[in-house]
Amino acid sequence: MSVAARTLIALMLVAPLALAQDARLSARLDKPTLIAVNAIVDSARVAKLPTAPLVDKALEGAAKGSDGQNIIVAVRQLSMQMGSAKRVLGSSATPDEIKAAATALAAGVSERDLARLRSASGKRPMTMPLAVLTDLIVRDVPIATATSLVVQLARSGVKDPELALFQRNVRADIDRGADPSVAATTRARGLVLRSSGSGNKPTE
Amino acid sequence: MRDETEQHIEQIARELRAPVSIGRELDARVMRAVRRLPRHARFGLWSRLITPRTVTVTPLVWGMLAAAVAAFAVLGAMHAGADLDRAAKPIARAFFPRPQTPAQSQRVQFVLVAPDAKKVAVVGDFNGWDASHAAYQAQHRGGGVWSVTAPVPLGHHRYSFVVDDSLWVADPTAPRVTDYDYGMPNSAIVVQEQK
């Protein structure tokens, strides 16, 4: 086989990989960072993890002017968290659920609590409950309290719009000076009562 | 001896010149006899279909055939596109009933109160964290209120406001995420299909 033929075959084999890489990364990352990020993204692809969040994480780092080493660490950490999330949530988890679960893990939620929430949610999507759980933790509701409340809400069949309203109400209470834990517990209790009771729509 | 021979020949010639009488049913009798014969397997329809044969086609005819097929395919594709789409939808709905195609994105309003800002943009997973993206530049509505309504794909997204190209501000009204990898906070949004 001639050298030209071998080169052509090699190019045909490599071309799909090159096309699979995000052009935005090439435009915004320096070469060493690009190579490392692409390697992490390729590994995630092989592990059947969503790759878009990894690309977004790298783009975020570039937009915020972070150095290459920080970007690589952040992307690798997110990849590991998504791997843990997928392991807990199972193969049926959607990319959004995996992404939201990885964010919750980063906030300090344990894999065991993640499994509890999965069990409490049944077959309903977990993206919104995970986003609300993460927000509660960021707003200084203790992790154990926040997890228990969201698991309880999920078990009560509270729907996503009601969860979003719950998050807004707790945030407003905290902004007005309420203790985060008390605000979250009080609002959750009211929501559970409404869900299990008359079925009236929640109000602000 | 010679006379006898000539007479004999003359007699044969007369016989040969005499008109031959063929019965009216001869054709029918012959065909009946032919039909009674066993059919040869080689001439059956199936045999004709599966028996390999060599077809000789001249380059000219072959080229014309190829050109005709190509022209037919191009014209067919041009005319069939719209019809196929129109015709396939009801068939697909009959087999796979779905109420409607889910929307791929929703328009979301982002609002930030920033009285001293000169410029506010929204960046996030939905626009590649590109602060120069035209669709996500907030407009000043007066009184320090900046807002922009832009399409956001369905799903979970992290985002932030960028004020004056330098200050990163999390959306105070949205759920937060612990994205401190780069030292600046982000917000989260879960965009769902509106029912």
Side-chain angles (χ1 to χ4, degrees):
Chain A
M1 189 184 291
S2 70
V3 175
R6 285 180 191 177
T7 309
L8 187 62
I9 290 171
L11 281 174
M12 288 170 69
L13 290 172
V14 171
L17 288 175
L19 288 173
Q21 292 169 359
D22 197 301
R24 295 172 301 174
L25 289 178
S26 313
R28 295 199 216 168
L29 300 180
D30 58 60
K31 198 164 183 181
T33 310
L34 177 66
I35 291 169
V37 168
N38 276 336
I40 298 169
V41 170
D42 286 342
S43 299
R45 188 178 292 118
V46 170
K48 296 184 177 171
L49 293 173
T51 56
L54 300 173
V55 173
D56 289 330
K57 177 58 84 176
L59 292 173
E60 179 197 352
K64 288 179 174 175
S66 189
D67 63 51
Q69 196 58 40
N70 268 350
I71 292 174
I72 294 167
V73 169
V75 173
R76 184 179 294 130
Q77 195 168 356
L78 177 59
S79 177
M80 289 164 62
Q81 284 159 346
M82 287 201 303
S84 302
K86 188 176 180 184
R87 209 167 38 248
V88 175
L89 300 184
S91 57
S92 62
T94 65
D96 281 321
E97 286 176 322
I98 292 172
K99 186 177 169 186
T103 309
L105 288 173
V109 175
S110 67
E111 291 187 19
R112 185 172 161 274
D113 285 337
L114 199 57
R116 277 176 63 208
L117 185 55
R118 167 80 282 174
S119 172
S121 297
K123 290 182 178 175
R124 283 169 299 167
M126 290 179 66
T127 311
M128 182 63 86
L130 286 166
V132 172
L133 172 59
T134 305
D135 180 63
L136 291 179
I137 294 169
V138 174
R139 293 184 193 278
D140 293 332
V141 177
I143 294 175
T145 306
T147 307
S148 293
L149 291 176
V150 175
V151 166
Q152 195 180 352
L153 292 174
R155 199 168 284 146
S156 302
V158 171
K159 294 184 172 59
D160 283 357
E162 295 167 323
L163 269 176
L165 184 57
F166 163 74
Q167 180 271 328
R168 286 201 296 273
N169 287 338
V170 173
R171 185 205 69 224
D173 292 344
I174 294 172
D175 287 348
R176 288 187 202 110
D179 176 80
S181 182
V182 174
T185 306
T186 307
R187 290 288 183 179
R189 191 178 297 136
L191 190 50
V192 169
L193 283 174
R194 270 197 298 272
S195 296
S196 59
S198 61
N200 290 339
K201 287 191 173 180
T203 55
E204 297 257 10
Chain B
M1 181 68 182
R2 188 181 173 189
D3 289 343
E4 278 183 15
T5 304
E6 286 180 351
Q7 284 176 0
H8 188 64
I9 291 171
E10 187 66 28
Q11 191 178 354
I12 291 170
R14 269 200 306 275
E15 286 293 325
L16 290 175
R17 287 191 196 105
V20 178
S21 62
I22 298 173
R24 289 182 178 176
E25 292 187 351
L26 178 66
D27 284 349
R29 277 190 282 118
V30 169
M31 290 310 297
R32 277 199 298 273
V34 167
R35 287 190 186 108
R36 276 197 297 271
L37 290 173
R39 180 180 285 266
H40 196 292
R42 208 178 76 184
F43 298 111
L45 178 62
W46 180 244
S47 297
R48 283 171 183 270
L49 289 174
I50 64 170
T51 303
R53 66 189 66 196
T54 304
V55 178
T56 306
V57 182
T58 64
L60 178 63
V61 173
W62 177 244
M64 288 169 66
L65 276 173
V69 169
F72 185 81
V74 170
L75 288 173
M78 286 169 61
H79 287 281
D83 291 344
L84 184 64
D85 187 44
R86 196 165 50 239
K89 276 180 183 170
I91 297 170
R93 280 194 195 126
F95 282 100
F96 309 103
R98 288 181 69 179
Q100 59 186 25
T101 306
Q104 295 302 304
S105 65
Q106 297 286 350
R107 293 184 69 76
V108 176
Q109 186 188 44
F110 299 94
V111 179
L112 180 71
V113 179
D116 299 327
K118 302 279 189 298
K119 180 183 174 188
V120 174
V122 181
V123 292
D125 294 340
F126 40 78
N127 66 359
W129 294 86
D130 181 5
S132 64
H133 199 298
Y136 296 87
Q137 302 298 317
Q139 302 298 312
H140 188 222
R141 309 295 176 186
V145 178
W146 295 75
S147 77
V148 58
T149 302
V152 178
L154 302 184
H156 179 278
H157 306 279
R158 299 168 308 115
Y159 71 99
S160 186
F161 289 104
V162 181
V163 178
D164 296 338
D165 291 324
S166 57
L167 182 64
W168 291 72
V169 180
D171 188 339
T173 65
R176 289 195 187 152
V177 287
T178 51
D179 270 356
Y180 295 117
D181 304 310
Y182 305 120
M184 300 165 198
N186 289 325
S187 300
I189 184 171
V190 180
V191 181
Q192 296 174 315
E193 192 177 351
Q194 288 178 345
K195 293 175 182 172

